[in-house]
Amino acid sequence: MKCPYCGAPLGLDDKFCPYCGQPNTLAKKHQADMEKYHREFQETRSQVYRETSRFTRLAVPITILFVLFLLNLAAYAVWAQSWEIGSALMENKIEDQLDTHKARVDEFLADENYMGLSGYYQANSLYYTDAFDQYRAVFQGADALGYVFEQLQYTFSSSVTPGEEELSDLADSLSSLLPQIYQVEEDYSYDRELYLSEDNMEHIQAIQDQCSALLIRYTGLTQDDVATLPDLSESRIYQLLEGRMTENL
């Protein structure tokens, strides 16, 4: 391209002739097109950056959540498999000593040592096997009896007389435990033949008698009070216990 004024060579990017200084009219349209293209390019790039940034802000947390979900799913699968393996191993261990366990359970029942029975049952994880399923109601009552005894011992073993707040906490704890002893028949009425056989009911009654003796000794409940426990809700048991223990402060 040559300058129409002086004939000197011109480039498309030259707005003026470098020799005569006249405007480069031939490249004017090209330069306008290039400036327009440059503006459009900048606007498009900015828009792409904005869209990419917005997508990134959304995509990153979604990706993190998805990865966490997969990790939790994998962890659960591992845990479930480990639980099954552990349960199988424990059940096999119990089965290997089943005769010994049955003999010990029978011994505890014969001696009416229900807190000892509960401790043995938990310590040897006998809940992993169905071999003692018929004693489930008895085990429930025995476990609850053990917790009742621990709560009473913890509250009253000190030489310091418990205050109203401690007695209220004790009443709250006992009110959730006592139905497991005095209302156990309701929990297992769906299969009385298995869980509430004549022998089991004798043990359940013995557990109730031992619990009643503890309550009368420590909380001040009367024989008439404990006779009502099978028919009371947890809230009514709480009120009864709190009232009797507060009276004896």
Side-chain angles (χ1 to χ4, degrees), residues 111-127:
D111 294 339
E112 295 188 354
N113 182 3
Y114 300 109
M115 285 185 279
L117 172 66
S118 174
Y120 185 84
Y121 179 78
Q122 296 294 337
N124 292 278
S125 305
L126 299 185
Y127 42 79

Side-chain angles (χ1 to χ4, degrees), residues 105 108-109 113-127 132 135-152 173-174 176-182 184 188 203-204 206-208 210-211 214:
V105 168
F108 283 118
L109 291 173
N113 182 3
Y114 300 109
M115 285 185 279
L117 172 66
S118 174
Y120 185 84
Y121 179 78
Q122 296 294 337
N124 292 278
S125 305
L126 299 185
Y127 42 79
F132 301 96
Y135 296 120
R136 187 183 299 176
V138 177
F139 287 143
Q140 173 182 307
D143 287 343
L145 177 64
Y147 286 123
V148 168
F149 179 74
E150 288 178 5
Q151 292 290 326
L152 292 172
S173 178
L174 293 180
S176 64
L177 291 169
L178 295 182
Q180 299 177 45
I181 296 175
Y182 293 95
V184 66
Y188 295 93
H203 292 302
I204 291 170
I207 290 172
Q208 293 174 354
Q210 290 184 17
C211 186
L214 290 172

Side-chain angles (χ1 to χ4, degrees), residues 72-89:
N72 285 333
L73 191 63
Y76 175 78
V78 172
W79 174 84
Q81 187 175 15
S82 299
W83 170 260
E84 291 179 3
I85 295 173
S87 298
L89 291 174

Side-chain angles (χ1 to χ4, degrees), residues 1-5 10 14-17 22-31:
M1 178 187 303
K2 293 183 179 181
C3 175
Y5 299 100
L10 295 175
D14 293 332
K15 293 184 179 181
F16 300 94
C17 176
Q22 295 295 325
N24 185 0
T25 56
L26 298 177
K28 187 174 183 180
K29 184 177 184 303
H30 169 74
Q31 293 168 358

Side-chain angles (χ1 to χ4, degrees), residues 14-81:
D14 293 332
K15 293 184 179 181
F16 300 94
C17 176
Y19 296 96
C20 68
Q22 295 295 325
N24 185 0
T25 56
L26 298 177
K28 187 174 183 180
K29 184 177 184 303
H30 169 74
Q31 293 168 358
D33 290 341
M34 290 300 296
E35 289 177 357
K36 180 181 178 183
Y37 167 77
H38 183 71
R39 287 196 303 270
E40 291 178 350
F41 174 77
Q42 293 296 335
E43 292 176 358
T44 302
R45 185 173 65 174
S46 298
Q47 183 177 1
V48 169
Y49 285 162
R50 289 194 299 270
E51 294 296 331
T52 302
S53 177
R54 182 161 50 247
F55 173 77
T56 302
R57 288 197 300 270
L58 293 173
V60 168
I62 291 174
T63 302
I64 292 174
L65 290 175
F66 182 68
V67 170
L68 289 176
F69 171 76
L70 292 179
L71 289 174
N72 285 333
L73 191 63
Y76 175 78
V78 172
W79 174 84
Q81 187 175 15

